[in-house]
Amino acid sequence: MIQAIAFYLFAGIVIASGALTILARNPVHSVLWLILAFFNAAGLFLLLGAEFLAALLVIVYVGAVAVLFLFVVMMLDIDFSELRAGFARYLPFSLLLAAVLGAELIFAVGAWNAGLIEPAARAAVPSPHMSNTEALGSVIYTRYAYVFEAAGLVLLVAMIGAIVLTHRQRGGVRRQNIGKQVARRPEDAVRLEKPETGQGVTL
């Protein structure tokens, strides 16, 4: 009974916060509603016994992605009134796209249920002697080890590309010379002047 109450509580808050993420007029409020949706989705993962996915959702999506969204929204100078002005123009296409996605979801659920597979057999039964994190790590580093390494190589290539794009040579850009700043002496940075009365300082 407690699990059912917790499930409906988390699920209701996820749906409500997701709707408010779309309908909020202030984009900062939209990001905050999105963070609330992530937290409650993590609660749903805990009810399923997937504590690793819950921690991953909070650490990665809330701690990195959502906070990055919040900083970007607050730093960019965007005319949100102009963005909202085009909402009515794209509303028919948005409703058509939502109808297509809803039909696809209904078709996918119907095709899944048409297989006559029992709910207990659709998901892997967790081992009572192994936690969710241990089971996931065992599968990743044995059966899907090469796929995991390929994903790591893709991330490595993306990181190297970002570094190359950041450190490329640009003309007319003043760069910081750390070694020159560290080796600078006080007499190189300070000049004492004693101008006579009525005369200024020569620069």
Side-chain angles (χ1 to χ4, degrees):
M1 188 63 183
I2 297 177
Q3 291 182 353
I5 294 174
F7 170 77
Y8 286 112
L9 177 63
F10 288 143
I13 296 178
V14 166
I15 295 174
S17 57
L20 290 172
T21 301
I22 301 173
L23 300 176
R25 293 181 177 273
N26 192 334
V28 177
H29 296 168
S30 297
V31 177
L32 295 177
W33 286 118
L34 182 62
I35 292 175
L36 181 62
F38 284 154
F39 271 113
N40 287 274
L44 291 176
F45 278 126
L46 287 177
L47 292 178
L48 293 174
E51 67 278 357
F52 178 77
L53 295 180
L56 197 66
L57 187 64
V58 172
I59 295 173
V60 176
Y61 284 90
V62 176
V65 177
V67 175
L68 180 62
F69 285 169
L70 184 61
F71 286 162
V72 170
V73 167
M74 295 176 66
M75 290 175 62
L76 293 180
D77 187 13
I78 302 175
D79 189 3
F80 297 103
S81 60
E82 182 180 352
L83 293 178
R84 287 194 293 268
F87 177 77
R89 182 174 57 181
Y90 296 107
L91 182 60
F93 177 73
S94 302
L95 294 177
L96 177 62
L97 184 61
V100 171
L101 292 177
E104 289 181 352
L105 288 175
I106 295 174
F107 177 76
V109 172
W112 181 263
N113 292 327
L116 298 178
I117 303 176
E118 295 296 329
R122 294 177 181 176
V125 180
S127 175
H129 306 290
M130 185 181 297
S131 65
N132 178 259
T133 306
E134 292 176 346
L136 187 61
S138 175
V139 172
I140 288 177
Y141 292 110
T142 55
R143 183 181 301 177
Y144 301 102
Y146 293 111
V147 180
F148 183 75
E149 291 178 357
L153 288 176
V154 171
L155 295 176
L156 178 63
V157 171
M159 182 179 66
I160 294 175
I163 294 174
V164 170
L165 291 176
T166 304
H167 289 277
R168 62 181 178 178
Q169 296 294 331
R170 297 186 179 92
V173 178
R174 298 182 62 182
R175 295 188 176 274
Q176 186 178 14
N177 192 340
I178 305 296
K180 185 177 180 180
Q181 292 180 353
V182 173
R184 188 173 63 172
R185 299 174 301 173
E187 52 268 21
D188 298 333
V190 179
R191 188 179 65 180
L192 299 178
E193 295 283 349
K194 295 182 180 179
E196 297 180 0
T197 304
Q199 296 182 358
V201 179
T202 302
L203 298 178

